[in-house]
Amino acid sequence: MTQELSQQIDFILELDKLKAVYRKALIKADNNRYENSAEHSWHISLTAHVLAPYADETVDISRVTLMLLIHDIVEIDAGDTFAFDHHTILGQQADKEIAAAERIFGLLPASQRQKIIALWHEFEQAETPDAQFAKAMDRILPLIQNMQNEGGSWAQNKVYKHQVINRNQYLETSAPKLWDYVLTQIDIATDKGWLQIE
Amino acid sequence: MTQELSQQIDFILELDKLKAVYRKALIKADNNRYENSAEHSWHISLTAHVLAPYADETVDISRVTLMLLIHDIVEIDAGDTFAFDHHTILGQQADKEIAAAERIFGLLPASQRQKIIALWHEFEQAETPDAQFAKAMDRILPLIQNMQNEGGSWAQNKVYKHQVINRNQYLETSAPKLWDYVLTQIDIATDKGWLQIE
């Protein structure tokens, strides 16, 4: 076995650990157990394919897909934080995630490492159309899931309406046709008491 | 909300159910619980990216990725069968999966439905280089997982060496540089008693 293949297999095995990172999202179809970040990554990758026609700028769906497949891998070391945690916690998390990206993507051979690290940073920085659409997909899916589950993780964690509006803002520019849908759903959730108002 | 968006959201919600379809594979990193087909689909999609340099013919990695993201969705209706079940069971399964593909991919708007159904059939028929490489990835990953887990699902289900060789045969033509690695691993597994011999 070449050194390159040995490194690739180590990376593939490392990925198994993302299946043990649990999020606040609930899986209605599986007795409302917590969702893990591996299955979430699968779900948003496919969500991006299905909703790609709504992207405002021309996005490269294969780059978006790869971004979404890798976007949470850093949680193997850094853990998942809830999207609506205090910003101090979220700031500390960013440092941990950068170190995690270096270690985990660093398992790959040199020929593959830099491309993946760069793609992960592009997603995090959310400045390119591909990254903004990927972020938008990462935001809309929990909304779709919570709307089918009596508020799901919003209701369980007493999340405010304005927090969900802020978090979904990427959609306003990167997929404006979905933005109206999202605002309507947020209003319904608020009426039902699944989202808090001040 | 347009009818098209409504259909797309129904499809995205339907996907949640794949997280409740459990396979025989074990997740070492999560107390050896059973793996579900959603997280498995994520793992092989990334495995395909990492091992793409070994593909013998030029494969289109974005088509392979989409194939792998959708390949198990039919299990929402048809359930998972163990790769080494009796061929009568596997034959009945094929019919159930075709009906499942029609129903589940049929939730999508007409503009997206046919492309996805065609891609799923292409994967199943395993005749094109893209489909053969995708199948090869679906075969090699359980081997990588079982080798790190004292035989994992092989040992637990008393699988024979010749069954694993047959199942991995796609690699011989679609990724020959990985074939030697696979044969070596199968020999090690047999020596350790993780695979049965006649």
Side-chain angles (χ1 to χ4, degrees):
Chain A
M1 176 159 54
T2 63
Q3 197 204 344
E4 197 150 292
L5 180 55
S6 167
Q7 291 173 307
Q8 287 156 331
I9 300 218
D10 283 349
F11 178 77
I12 289 166
L13 282 168
E14 186 72 17
L15 295 180
D16 230 25
K17 297 180 184 166
L18 196 61
K19 301 168 190 167
V21 175
Y22 288 90
R23 300 156 39 82
K24 296 272 193 231
L26 301 167
I27 310 284
K28 188 180 181 186
D30 200 18
N31 301 314
N32 267 331
R33 68 165 173 85
Y34 288 110
E35 185 181 45
N36 70 62
S37 292
E39 61 198 351
H40 160 71
S41 299
W42 166 78
H43 204 171
I44 50 171
S45 300
L46 268 177
T47 299
H49 271 279
V50 172
L51 299 181
Y54 300 96
D56 189 39
E57 299 202 44
T58 306
V59 301
D60 178 340
I61 192 65
S62 37
R63 293 189 81 241
V64 169
T65 304
L66 187 53
M67 259 181 217
L68 291 173
L69 287 171
I70 66 162
H71 83 294
D72 270 347
I73 290 175
V74 293
E75 293 181 359
I76 289 172
D77 286 356
D80 183 56
T81 47
F82 189 44
F84 304 107
D85 272 343
H86 192 278
H87 60 82
T88 315
I89 295 174
L90 296 177
Q92 292 162 349
Q93 183 69 4
D95 294 338
K96 282 193 223 164
E97 290 188 352
I98 290 167
E102 293 295 325
R103 184 192 76 76
I104 302 167
F105 299 131
L107 296 172
L108 284 165
S111 58
Q112 297 182 307
R113 192 182 300 153
Q114 285 315 318
K115 182 190 154 200
I116 296 282
I117 293 181
L119 202 67
W120 179 78
H121 279 287
E122 182 180 333
F123 174 80
E124 284 299 308
Q125 286 158 10
E127 287 170 0
T128 63
D130 287 349
Q132 289 185 348
F133 187 70
K135 285 266 179 193
M137 296 300 100
D138 196 33
R139 294 343 190 202
I140 198 174
L141 181 54
L143 177 141
I144 294 172
Q145 289 171 304
N146 284 341
M147 289 306 296
Q148 279 296 303
N149 200 12
E150 300 189 334
S153 62
W154 294 335
Q156 206 172 51
N157 296 281
K158 303 202 181 307
V159 171
Y160 285 91
K161 175 181 181 175
H162 72 89
Q163 292 179 296
V164 178
I165 293 177
N166 286 347
R167 190 158 166 81
N168 277 277
Q169 209 87 38
Y170 285 112
L171 285 157
E172 190 172 5
T173 47
S174 79
K177 286 175 198 154
L178 296 175
W179 181 235
D180 285 346
Y181 165 76
V182 163
L183 290 179
T184 310
Q185 298 299 304
I186 291 172
D187 281 342
I188 295 170
T190 309
D191 287 346
K192 287 186 183 284
W194 299 339
L195 286 172
Q196 313 289 308
I197 40 174
E198 278 77 351
Chain B
M1 175 160 53
T2 63
Q3 195 201 350
E4 199 151 288
L5 180 54
S6 166
Q7 292 172 306
Q8 286 155 333
I9 300 221
D10 284 347
F11 177 76
I12 289 166
L13 283 168
E14 186 72 18
L15 295 180
D16 230 25
K17 297 179 185 167
L18 196 61
K19 301 169 191 166
V21 175
Y22 288 90
R23 302 157 38 81
K24 297 273 192 227
L26 301 166
I27 310 284
K28 189 181 180 186
D30 201 18
N31 301 315
N32 266 332
R33 69 165 173 84
Y34 288 111
E35 184 181 48
N36 71 62
S37 292
E39 59 198 351
H40 160 72
S41 299
W42 166 78
H43 203 172
I44 50 171
S45 300
L46 268 177
T47 299
H49 272 280
V50 171
L51 298 181
Y54 300 96
D56 190 37
E57 298 202 45
T58 306
V59 301
D60 178 341
I61 192 65
S62 40
R63 294 189 82 241
V64 169
T65 304
L66 187 53
M67 259 182 216
L68 290 173
L69 287 172
I70 66 163
H71 83 294
D72 270 345
I73 290 175
V74 293
E75 293 181 359
I76 289 171
D77 286 356
D80 181 57
T81 47
F82 189 43
F84 304 107
D85 272 342
H86 192 278
H87 61 81
T88 314
I89 296 175
L90 297 177
Q92 291 163 350
Q93 183 69 4
D95 294 339
K96 281 193 223 165
E97 290 189 351
I98 289 167
E102 293 296 324
R103 185 192 75 76
I104 302 167
F105 300 129
L107 295 171
L108 285 166
S111 58
Q112 297 182 308
R113 191 183 300 154
Q114 284 316 316
K115 181 190 154 200
I116 297 281
I117 294 182
L119 201 66
W120 179 78
H121 278 287
E122 183 181 333
F123 174 80
E124 286 298 309
Q125 287 158 13
E127 286 169 2
T128 63
D130 287 349
Q132 290 185 347
F133 187 70
K135 285 267 180 193
M137 296 299 102
D138 196 32
R139 293 345 187 201
I140 197 174
L141 181 54
L143 176 141
I144 293 172
Q145 290 171 303
N146 284 342
M147 289 306 295
Q148 278 295 304
N149 201 11
E150 300 189 333
S153 63
W154 293 335
Q156 205 171 55
N157 295 282
K158 301 201 184 305
V159 171
Y160 284 91
K161 175 182 182 175
H162 73 89
Q163 292 178 298
V164 179
I165 293 177
N166 286 346
R167 190 158 166 82
N168 277 278
Q169 209 89 40
Y170 285 113
L171 285 158
E172 191 173 4
T173 46
S174 80
K177 286 174 197 154
L178 295 175
W179 181 236
D180 286 345
Y181 164 77
V182 162
L183 290 179
T184 308
Q185 299 299 304
I186 291 173
D187 282 342
I188 295 169
T190 309
D191 286 346
K192 287 185 183 286
W194 299 341
L195 286 172
Q196 313 289 309
I197 38 174
E198 278 77 350

